[in-house]
Amino acid sequence: MPTEFATREIGAAAKAAAVAEPRVTFKTDRSLGAQAYRFSRVSDGTVVVTSGDASGAMYGGLDIAEALRLGTLKELVSDHRLHTPHVLDRGIKFNLPLDWRTPTYSDRTTASQSNIPEMWSMDFWHDFIDEMARDRYNLLSLWSEHPFPSMVKVPEFPDVALDDVWQGKTDANGAYTDHAVVKKMTMDQKIAFWREVMEYAHDRGIAVYIFTWNVFTHGATGKYNITDAMSNATTVAYTRDSVRELIKTYPLLDGMGITSGENMPGATDDAKEDWVWATYGEGARNALRQEPHRKFHIIHRFHQTSLSQIMQRWKDFSGPVDFSYKYSVAHMYSIANPPMIQEALDVLPPGKKMWLEVRNDDIYSFRFGDPDYLRDYVDNMPPAEVSGGYMMGADGYCLGREFLDRDPGPGPHELVIQKQWYSFMLMGRLSYDPTIPDTHFQEVLAARFPGVSAFGLYRALQSASQTMPLITRFFWGDIDIKWFPESSSKRPADKNYYTVLDFAEGESMPGANVLNIRQWRTNVLEKRPMTKTTPLQIADALEEESRATLQSVAALRMQTPGANAVEFRKTLVDCESLAWLAHYYAEKIHAASDLGLYDLTSDASQQASAIRHLDSALDAWKHYATVRDGQYVPALYGRAGYVNITAMTAKVAQDLTIARGWRPGSIRATVPGQTTEPGVKP
């Protein structure tokens, strides 16, 4: 039960803080609403948590546990205000690498393949789900291209069910060419495993959804003549029956997310929705006929399909059908008020909700966190009347255990959600309550790293966290294969480094009110007023944040924490890495701006200035590579490709060659490939 978890957390916190465990009782008042709670005290000193439901009681108990660690219990329980969720459903998007044979999206990568055994470890899921609850997340969405062979038995297609768990093996070049059996399991054992995961999640107040892309038939292809062709009647029947069995097999599965358009080459919107309804729609209806009172939620992604077709096909479905949309496309850390959602909200039917897919394909390696940015991000989300909530996660990285660290320490690798605990905590806690002050997070840092300047560490993390939003506002690639800011590249990173010419020709982010270099240079040369942020202002901001971060890190390195010293050291390395990356981008923008002017004026002094800035950019990149790669190994990512920062130094140096050989008139007026993903179709 959720309150049992909270009670254990209170006991553990009291023991760790060496204080008496307070008497706590839980009362229910349904009128308070879902997830709501308040505190009071009775004459004998007992702390009373009055809540609207079990989740609210758990959150109140977790607040008490945190207050014990921070030494702020008296202040907490003397505040009798009602705590209510700002965003009702706060989710994690978890791309689930079940098996070599049933991959998730882009999962033949270092992180995904390393994590396949972990997906079948109950210890992993207990730790992960506990962390979710502590951070106030209450929805776990598991994403897989085709999970059915690894999760269900289908009576009509019995040979599709896969026993055991396979992991990819690599050759000397890092290419996945073979497999290894990493766990022996029958399908019955797999079913029991996932039932336990879902039960554990529900005991922490967390709903579980499974999302798929279509049409994929991994693990089933070739059996019973199943293929990934939409026109294959056997594939339709097999998918329909698999959906039915998934819903029947897992009574605690709360819903499914579905996608029209992936791997449906050349199909019309009519054909796409006909297929999705004939498989997912009919499969779900067949399952739910046997459970007429079960509420099963469908979330249909706004992705390569049209609203009218979705509404027509799904109008008679018995349960709720809502939609989802890539809120910041792939870049959560860009601007706090991304405008792309508006086109979807403008056509949203009355009574429907739009779920936000909050994609963080900006930062895979580093610890980071900026409460001010995330508070603004949450505050700018659409209101509850039209928004179902959010699911935050990446497509190019697996949020399992961390396999990048050169020195992971003894025992199992730490969870990504534990390594990046600060950023996950900030998003979860602030989306529940965006009024939490910055001072609270400084107290959390002080408790985790006693004996060091909590404010200094807070500022180092906050300054370092400006790197990705600032550069992505200026240089926009909407989806993750177009822009991976950790390596200044697109996919594949080892072949597609963005040069200084690319920066001079680049587009800024829609809605960011940032001038690209072509717009800026026109204003400069024609002496027009600058009504938006200029490239040089972005560069100056990056330089200022870099300087502030390095100053904070230098001061913090003179201090020794009384606990978690290894984590503290690695956190400073992450901050320093981001600082050098910010300095590199600042110098590169200055150089691209100089070349933008030189391209029209032929003023040799502008070319010379660009070369000086690129010399500094190369020096900054070398520092970045040394610091970052001293802590992290090169890795193959799902969307960015193979990333080796040190090896990319040679490409960075080529920017100098480009600048020295620059011929005026090199910048194109328009650049192919800078369009965004297809928009919403009514």
Side-chain angles (χ1 to χ4, degrees), residues 237-286:
Y238 157 71
T239 307
R240 179 193 64 226
D241 295 343
S242 295
V243 171
R244 179 199 69 209
E245 290 304 313
L246 186 77
I247 296 170
K248 288 174 58 179
T249 300
Y250 298 104
L252 294 181
L253 182 65
D254 294 276
M256 290 193 74
I258 56 178
T259 307
S260 295
E262 294 280 349
N263 207 30
M264 294 180 170
T268 64
D269 291 342
D270 276 328
K272 293 174 185 177
E273 282 308 315
D274 283 341
W275 193 92
V276 169
W277 174 255
T279 53
Y280 288 83
E282 293 290 1
R285 285 214 305 187
N286 291 343

Short mmCIF file of all heavy atoms in Angstrom, two decimals, residues 237-286:
data_model
loop_
_atom_site.label_atom_id
_atom_site.label_comp_id
_atom_site.label_asym_id
_atom_site.label_seq_id
_atom_site.Cartn_x
_atom_site.Cartn_y
_atom_site.Cartn_z
N ALA A 237 -4.71 -10.07 -38.00
CA ALA A 237 -5.31 -10.97 -37.01
C ALA A 237 -4.37 -11.21 -35.84
O ALA A 237 -4.81 -11.20 -34.67
CB ALA A 237 -5.67 -12.30 -37.69
N TYR A 238 -3.11 -11.41 -36.14
CA TYR A 238 -2.13 -11.65 -35.07
C TYR A 238 -2.01 -10.44 -34.14
O TYR A 238 -2.01 -10.59 -32.91
CB TYR A 238 -0.77 -11.99 -35.68
CG TYR A 238 0.38 -11.71 -34.76
CD1 TYR A 238 0.61 -12.51 -33.64
CD2 TYR A 238 1.23 -10.62 -34.98
CE1 TYR A 238 1.65 -12.24 -32.77
CE2 TYR A 238 2.26 -10.34 -34.11
CZ TYR A 238 2.47 -11.15 -33.02
OH TYR A 238 3.49 -10.87 -32.15
N THR A 239 -1.92 -9.24 -34.71
CA THR A 239 -1.79 -8.03 -33.88
C THR A 239 -3.05 -7.82 -33.05
O THR A 239 -2.97 -7.50 -31.85
CB THR A 239 -1.51 -6.80 -34.76
OG1 THR A 239 -0.39 -7.06 -35.61
CG2 THR A 239 -1.23 -5.58 -33.91
N ARG A 240 -4.21 -7.99 -33.67
CA ARG A 240 -5.48 -7.84 -32.95
C ARG A 240 -5.54 -8.79 -31.76
O ARG A 240 -5.88 -8.40 -30.62
CB ARG A 240 -6.64 -8.11 -33.90
CG ARG A 240 -8.02 -8.00 -33.25
CD ARG A 240 -9.07 -8.59 -34.17
NE ARG A 240 -8.86 -10.01 -34.36
CZ ARG A 240 -8.91 -10.64 -35.55
NH1 ARG A 240 -9.15 -9.95 -36.65
NH2 ARG A 240 -8.70 -11.95 -35.62
N ASP A 241 -5.19 -10.05 -31.99
CA ASP A 241 -5.27 -11.04 -30.91
C ASP A 241 -4.20 -10.79 -29.85
O ASP A 241 -4.42 -11.08 -28.66
CB ASP A 241 -5.13 -12.44 -31.50
CG ASP A 241 -6.28 -12.81 -32.43
OD1 ASP A 241 -7.33 -12.12 -32.38
OD2 ASP A 241 -6.14 -13.77 -33.21
N SER A 242 -3.06 -10.25 -30.25
CA SER A 242 -2.01 -9.92 -29.27
C SER A 242 -2.46 -8.79 -28.35
O SER A 242 -2.21 -8.82 -27.14
CB SER A 242 -0.72 -9.53 -30.00
OG SER A 242 -0.20 -10.62 -30.72
N VAL A 243 -3.11 -7.78 -28.92
CA VAL A 243 -3.63 -6.69 -28.11
C VAL A 243 -4.67 -7.21 -27.12
O VAL A 243 -4.67 -6.86 -25.93
CB VAL A 243 -4.23 -5.59 -29.01
CG1 VAL A 243 -4.97 -4.54 -28.18
CG2 VAL A 243 -3.14 -4.93 -29.85
N ARG A 244 -5.54 -8.05 -27.60
CA ARG A 244 -6.56 -8.65 -26.72
C ARG A 244 -5.90 -9.37 -25.56
O ARG A 244 -6.28 -9.18 -24.38
CB ARG A 244 -7.40 -9.64 -27.54
CG ARG A 244 -8.49 -10.37 -26.75
CD ARG A 244 -8.93 -11.63 -27.51
NE ARG A 244 -7.87 -12.63 -27.53
CZ ARG A 244 -7.71 -13.53 -28.51
NH1 ARG A 244 -8.50 -13.51 -29.58
NH2 ARG A 244 -6.73 -14.42 -28.44
N GLU A 245 -4.89 -10.18 -25.85
CA GLU A 245 -4.25 -10.97 -24.79
C GLU A 245 -3.43 -10.09 -23.85
O GLU A 245 -3.35 -10.38 -22.65
CB GLU A 245 -3.35 -12.05 -25.41
CG GLU A 245 -4.13 -13.15 -26.10
CD GLU A 245 -5.15 -13.82 -25.18
OE1 GLU A 245 -4.78 -14.16 -24.02
OE2 GLU A 245 -6.32 -13.97 -25.59
N LEU A 246 -2.84 -9.02 -24.35
CA LEU A 246 -2.10 -8.13 -23.47
C LEU A 246 -3.03 -7.53 -22.42
O LEU A 246 -2.71 -7.48 -21.23
CB LEU A 246 -1.43 -7.03 -24.28
CG LEU A 246 -0.50 -6.11 -23.49
CD1 LEU A 246 0.83 -6.81 -23.22
CD2 LEU A 246 -0.23 -4.80 -24.23
N ILE A 247 -4.19 -7.07 -22.85
CA ILE A 247 -5.14 -6.45 -21.92
C ILE A 247 -5.70 -7.49 -20.95
O ILE A 247 -5.82 -7.22 -19.74
CB ILE A 247 -6.26 -5.76 -22.71
CG1 ILE A 247 -5.68 -4.61 -23.55
CG2 ILE A 247 -7.35 -5.23 -21.77
CD1 ILE A 247 -6.65 -4.01 -24.53
N LYS A 248 -6.01 -8.66 -21.44
CA LYS A 248 -6.54 -9.72 -20.57
C LYS A 248 -5.49 -10.23 -19.59
O LYS A 248 -5.79 -10.52 -18.43
CB LYS A 248 -7.05 -10.88 -21.42
CG LYS A 248 -8.32 -10.60 -22.19
CD LYS A 248 -8.68 -11.75 -23.12
CE LYS A 248 -8.85 -13.07 -22.38
NZ LYS A 248 -9.22 -14.17 -23.31
N THR A 249 -4.24 -10.34 -20.05
CA THR A 249 -3.18 -10.92 -19.23
C THR A 249 -2.79 -10.02 -18.08
O THR A 249 -2.38 -10.50 -17.01
CB THR A 249 -1.95 -11.23 -20.12
OG1 THR A 249 -2.34 -12.15 -21.14
CG2 THR A 249 -0.81 -11.82 -19.31
N TYR A 250 -2.92 -8.70 -18.28
CA TYR A 250 -2.46 -7.75 -17.28
C TYR A 250 -3.62 -6.88 -16.79
O TYR A 250 -3.88 -5.79 -17.31
CB TYR A 250 -1.34 -6.89 -17.86
CG TYR A 250 -0.13 -7.72 -18.24
CD1 TYR A 250 0.14 -8.01 -19.58
CD2 TYR A 250 0.71 -8.24 -17.27
CE1 TYR A 250 1.24 -8.78 -19.93
CE2 TYR A 250 1.81 -9.02 -17.61
CZ TYR A 250 2.06 -9.29 -18.94
OH TYR A 250 3.15 -10.07 -19.28
N PRO A 251 -4.32 -7.36 -15.76
CA PRO A 251 -5.48 -6.61 -15.26
C PRO A 251 -5.12 -5.23 -14.72
O PRO A 251 -5.98 -4.36 -14.65
CB PRO A 251 -6.02 -7.51 -14.14
CG PRO A 251 -5.45 -8.87 -14.39
CD PRO A 251 -4.15 -8.65 -15.07
N LEU A 252 -3.87 -5.03 -14.33
CA LEU A 252 -3.45 -3.73 -13.79
C LEU A 252 -2.83 -2.82 -14.84
O LEU A 252 -2.33 -1.75 -14.50
CB LEU A 252 -2.45 -3.95 -12.64
CG LEU A 252 -3.02 -4.64 -11.40
CD1 LEU A 252 -1.96 -4.78 -10.32
CD2 LEU A 252 -4.24 -3.90 -10.85
N LEU A 253 -2.87 -3.22 -16.11
CA LEU A 253 -2.45 -2.32 -17.18
C LEU A 253 -3.54 -1.27 -17.37
O LEU A 253 -4.70 -1.59 -17.62
CB LEU A 253 -2.23 -3.10 -18.48
CG LEU A 253 -1.74 -2.30 -19.68
CD1 LEU A 253 -0.35 -1.74 -19.43
CD2 LEU A 253 -1.75 -3.17 -20.94
N ASP A 254 -3.16 -0.01 -17.25
CA ASP A 254 -4.15 1.06 -17.24
C ASP A 254 -4.52 1.56 -18.63
O ASP A 254 -5.58 2.17 -18.79
CB ASP A 254 -3.61 2.24 -16.42
CG ASP A 254 -3.47 1.87 -14.95
OD1 ASP A 254 -4.47 1.94 -14.22
OD2 ASP A 254 -2.36 1.48 -14.54
N GLY A 255 -3.66 1.34 -19.61
CA GLY A 255 -3.99 1.81 -20.94
C GLY A 255 -2.88 1.53 -21.92
O GLY A 255 -1.83 0.97 -21.57
N MET A 256 -3.13 1.93 -23.16
CA MET A 256 -2.14 1.77 -24.23
C MET A 256 -2.03 3.07 -25.01
O MET A 256 -3.02 3.80 -25.17
CB MET A 256 -2.52 0.64 -25.19
CG MET A 256 -2.40 -0.75 -24.60
SD MET A 256 -2.49 -2.03 -25.89
CE MET A 256 -0.87 -1.84 -26.65
N GLY A 257 -0.82 3.32 -25.49
CA GLY A 257 -0.59 4.40 -26.44
C GLY A 257 -0.31 3.80 -27.80
O GLY A 257 0.40 2.79 -27.90
N ILE A 258 -0.86 4.38 -28.85
CA ILE A 258 -0.73 3.81 -30.18
C ILE A 258 -0.26 4.87 -31.17
O ILE A 258 -0.49 6.07 -30.97
CB ILE A 258 -2.04 3.16 -30.67
CG1 ILE A 258 -3.18 4.19 -30.64
CG2 ILE A 258 -2.39 1.96 -29.82
CD1 ILE A 258 -4.50 3.65 -31.16
N THR A 259 0.37 4.40 -32.23
CA THR A 259 0.96 5.28 -33.22
C THR A 259 0.50 4.86 -34.61
O THR A 259 0.61 3.68 -34.96
CB THR A 259 2.49 5.22 -33.17
OG1 THR A 259 2.93 5.47 -31.85
CG2 THR A 259 3.11 6.24 -34.11
N SER A 260 0.02 5.80 -35.39
CA SER A 260 -0.23 5.56 -36.82
C SER A 260 0.88 6.23 -37.60
O SER A 260 1.20 7.39 -37.34
CB SER A 260 -1.57 6.16 -37.25
OG SER A 260 -2.64 5.52 -36.60
N GLY A 261 1.43 5.52 -38.56
CA GLY A 261 2.36 6.18 -39.46
C GLY A 261 3.75 5.60 -39.46
O GLY A 261 4.43 5.67 -40.48
N GLU A 262 4.22 5.05 -38.34
CA GLU A 262 5.55 4.45 -38.35
C GLU A 262 5.51 3.14 -39.14
O GLU A 262 4.64 2.30 -38.95
CB GLU A 262 6.02 4.17 -36.92
CG GLU A 262 6.24 5.42 -36.08
CD GLU A 262 7.57 6.09 -36.37
OE1 GLU A 262 8.41 5.49 -37.07
OE2 GLU A 262 7.76 7.24 -35.91
N ASN A 263 6.47 2.97 -40.02
CA ASN A 263 6.59 1.76 -40.84
C ASN A 263 5.30 1.46 -41.60
O ASN A 263 4.89 0.32 -41.74
CB ASN A 263 6.99 0.56 -39.97
CG ASN A 263 7.73 -0.50 -40.77
OD1 ASN A 263 8.42 -0.18 -41.73
ND2 ASN A 263 7.60 -1.75 -40.39
N MET A 264 4.66 2.50 -42.07
CA MET A 264 3.48 2.38 -42.95
C MET A 264 3.76 3.16 -44.24
O MET A 264 3.09 4.14 -44.56
CB MET A 264 2.24 2.94 -42.26
CG MET A 264 1.78 2.17 -41.05
SD MET A 264 0.29 2.93 -40.31
CE MET A 264 -0.20 1.68 -39.12
N PRO A 265 4.77 2.76 -45.00
CA PRO A 265 5.20 3.57 -46.15
C PRO A 265 4.12 3.71 -47.20
O PRO A 265 3.51 2.73 -47.63
CB PRO A 265 6.41 2.79 -46.69
CG PRO A 265 6.22 1.39 -46.21
CD PRO A 265 5.55 1.51 -44.88
N GLY A 266 3.87 4.96 -47.60
CA GLY A 266 2.94 5.22 -48.68
C GLY A 266 1.48 5.10 -48.35
O GLY A 266 0.63 5.33 -49.21
N ALA A 267 1.15 4.78 -47.10
CA ALA A 267 -0.26 4.56 -46.74
C ALA A 267 -0.99 5.89 -46.60
O ALA A 267 -0.43 6.88 -46.11
CB ALA A 267 -0.36 3.78 -45.44
N THR A 268 -2.23 5.93 -46.99
CA THR A 268 -3.08 7.10 -46.78
C THR A 268 -3.51 7.15 -45.32
O THR A 268 -3.41 6.16 -44.58
CB THR A 268 -4.32 7.04 -47.66
OG1 THR A 268 -5.12 5.92 -47.26
CG2 THR A 268 -3.94 6.90 -49.13
N ASP A 269 -4.02 8.31 -44.90
CA ASP A 269 -4.52 8.43 -43.53
C ASP A 269 -5.66 7.45 -43.29
O ASP A 269 -5.78 6.87 -42.20
CB ASP A 269 -4.99 9.86 -43.26
CG ASP A 269 -3.83 10.84 -43.21
OD1 ASP A 269 -2.68 10.39 -43.03
OD2 ASP A 269 -4.08 12.05 -43.35
N ASP A 270 -6.52 7.26 -44.30
CA ASP A 270 -7.60 6.29 -44.17
C ASP A 270 -7.05 4.89 -43.91
O ASP A 270 -7.52 4.17 -43.03
CB ASP A 270 -8.46 6.27 -45.44
CG ASP A 270 -9.52 7.36 -45.44
OD1 ASP A 270 -10.01 7.70 -44.35
OD2 ASP A 270 -9.84 7.85 -46.53
N ALA A 271 -6.05 4.51 -44.70
CA ALA A 271 -5.49 3.16 -44.57
C ALA A 271 -4.81 2.98 -43.21
O ALA A 271 -4.92 1.91 -42.60
CB ALA A 271 -4.51 2.90 -45.71
N LYS A 272 -4.11 4.00 -42.76
CA LYS A 272 -3.44 3.91 -41.46
C LYS A 272 -4.45 3.66 -40.34
O LYS A 272 -4.28 2.75 -39.51
CB LYS A 272 -2.65 5.19 -41.18
CG LYS A 272 -1.46 5.43 -42.08
CD LYS A 272 -0.86 6.80 -41.79
CE LYS A 272 0.27 7.14 -42.74
NZ LYS A 272 0.81 8.50 -42.49
N GLU A 273 -5.49 4.47 -40.32
CA GLU A 273 -6.46 4.33 -39.22
C GLU A 273 -7.30 3.08 -39.36
O GLU A 273 -7.72 2.50 -38.35
CB GLU A 273 -7.34 5.57 -39.13
CG GLU A 273 -6.67 6.75 -38.46
CD GLU A 273 -6.06 6.40 -37.11
OE1 GLU A 273 -6.69 5.72 -36.29
OE2 GLU A 273 -4.91 6.82 -36.87
N ASP A 274 -7.56 2.65 -40.59
CA ASP A 274 -8.25 1.37 -40.77
C ASP A 274 -7.44 0.25 -40.13
O ASP A 274 -7.99 -0.63 -39.45
CB ASP A 274 -8.46 1.07 -42.26
CG ASP A 274 -9.60 1.88 -42.87
OD1 ASP A 274 -10.44 2.39 -42.11
OD2 ASP A 274 -9.63 1.99 -44.11
N TRP A 275 -6.12 0.28 -40.35
CA TRP A 275 -5.26 -0.77 -39.80
C TRP A 275 -5.21 -0.70 -38.28
O TRP A 275 -5.33 -1.72 -37.60
CB TRP A 275 -3.85 -0.64 -40.38
CG TRP A 275 -2.99 -1.84 -40.11
CD1 TRP A 275 -2.84 -2.94 -40.91
CD2 TRP A 275 -2.19 -2.07 -38.94
NE1 TRP A 275 -1.99 -3.84 -40.31
CE2 TRP A 275 -1.57 -3.33 -39.10
CE3 TRP A 275 -1.92 -1.33 -37.80
CZ2 TRP A 275 -0.71 -3.87 -38.15
CZ3 TRP A 275 -1.07 -1.88 -36.83
CH2 TRP A 275 -0.46 -3.13 -37.01
N VAL A 276 -5.03 0.50 -37.75
CA VAL A 276 -4.92 0.64 -36.30
C VAL A 276 -6.23 0.24 -35.61
O VAL A 276 -6.22 -0.41 -34.56
CB VAL A 276 -4.50 2.08 -35.93
CG1 VAL A 276 -4.63 2.31 -34.44
CG2 VAL A 276 -3.07 2.33 -36.38
N TRP A 277 -7.34 0.62 -36.20
CA TRP A 277 -8.61 0.22 -35.59
C TRP A 277 -8.81 -1.29 -35.69
O TRP A 277 -9.25 -1.93 -34.71
CB TRP A 277 -9.79 0.94 -36.23
CG TRP A 277 -11.09 0.40 -35.70
CD1 TRP A 277 -11.96 -0.44 -36.32
CD2 TRP A 277 -11.59 0.57 -34.36
NE1 TRP A 277 -13.01 -0.78 -35.49
CE2 TRP A 277 -12.81 -0.18 -34.28
CE3 TRP A 277 -11.16 1.27 -33.25
CZ2 TRP A 277 -13.57 -0.22 -33.12
CZ3 TRP A 277 -11.93 1.23 -32.09
CH2 TRP A 277 -13.11 0.49 -32.03
N ALA A 278 -8.49 -1.88 -36.85
CA ALA A 278 -8.69 -3.32 -37.03
C ALA A 278 -7.81 -4.15 -36.11
O ALA A 278 -8.14 -5.31 -35.81
CB ALA A 278 -8.41 -3.70 -38.49
N THR A 279 -6.71 -3.58 -35.65
CA THR A 279 -5.80 -4.31 -34.77
C THR A 279 -5.98 -3.89 -33.31
O THR A 279 -6.51 -4.64 -32.49
CB THR A 279 -4.35 -4.09 -35.22
OG1 THR A 279 -4.10 -2.67 -35.33
CG2 THR A 279 -4.09 -4.74 -36.57
N TYR A 280 -5.62 -2.66 -33.00
CA TYR A 280 -5.68 -2.19 -31.61
C TYR A 280 -7.11 -1.93 -31.16
O TYR A 280 -7.48 -2.28 -30.02
CB TYR A 280 -4.82 -0.93 -31.45
CG TYR A 280 -3.34 -1.26 -31.50
CD1 TYR A 280 -2.69 -1.40 -32.73
CD2 TYR A 280 -2.62 -1.47 -30.34
CE1 TYR A 280 -1.34 -1.74 -32.78
CE2 TYR A 280 -1.27 -1.80 -30.39
CZ TYR A 280 -0.65 -1.94 -31.62
OH TYR A 280 0.68 -2.28 -31.67
N GLY A 281 -7.90 -1.32 -32.01
CA GLY A 281 -9.27 -1.04 -31.62
C GLY A 281 -10.08 -2.30 -31.40
O GLY A 281 -10.70 -2.49 -30.34
N GLU A 282 -10.08 -3.19 -32.38
CA GLU A 282 -10.85 -4.43 -32.25
C GLU A 282 -10.26 -5.33 -31.18
O GLU A 282 -10.99 -6.01 -30.44
CB GLU A 282 -10.90 -5.16 -33.59
CG GLU A 282 -11.69 -4.43 -34.68
CD GLU A 282 -13.19 -4.41 -34.41
OE1 GLU A 282 -13.64 -4.95 -33.38
OE2 GLU A 282 -13.92 -3.85 -35.25
N GLY A 283 -8.93 -5.36 -31.06
CA GLY A 283 -8.32 -6.18 -30.02
C GLY A 283 -8.71 -5.71 -28.63
O GLY A 283 -9.04 -6.52 -27.75
N ALA A 284 -8.68 -4.40 -28.42
CA ALA A 284 -9.08 -3.87 -27.12
C ALA A 284 -10.55 -4.12 -26.85
O ALA A 284 -10.94 -4.49 -25.73
CB ALA A 284 -8.76 -2.37 -27.06
N ARG A 285 -11.40 -3.93 -27.86
CA ARG A 285 -12.83 -4.17 -27.66
C ARG A 285 -13.10 -5.63 -27.32
O ARG A 285 -13.93 -5.94 -26.45
CB ARG A 285 -13.61 -3.78 -28.92
CG ARG A 285 -13.76 -2.29 -29.10
CD ARG A 285 -15.07 -1.91 -29.75
NE ARG A 285 -15.30 -2.56 -31.03
CZ ARG A 285 -16.32 -2.26 -31.83
NH1 ARG A 285 -17.19 -1.33 -31.48
NH2 ARG A 285 -16.48 -2.88 -32.99
N ASN A 286 -12.41 -6.54 -27.99
CA ASN A 286 -12.60 -7.96 -27.71
C ASN A 286 -12.22 -8.31 -26.28
O ASN A 286 -12.87 -9.13 -25.63
CB ASN A 286 -11.79 -8.80 -28.69
CG ASN A 286 -12.32 -8.73 -30.11
OD1 ASN A 286 -13.47 -8.32 -30.33
ND2 ASN A 286 -11.51 -9.11 -31.08
#
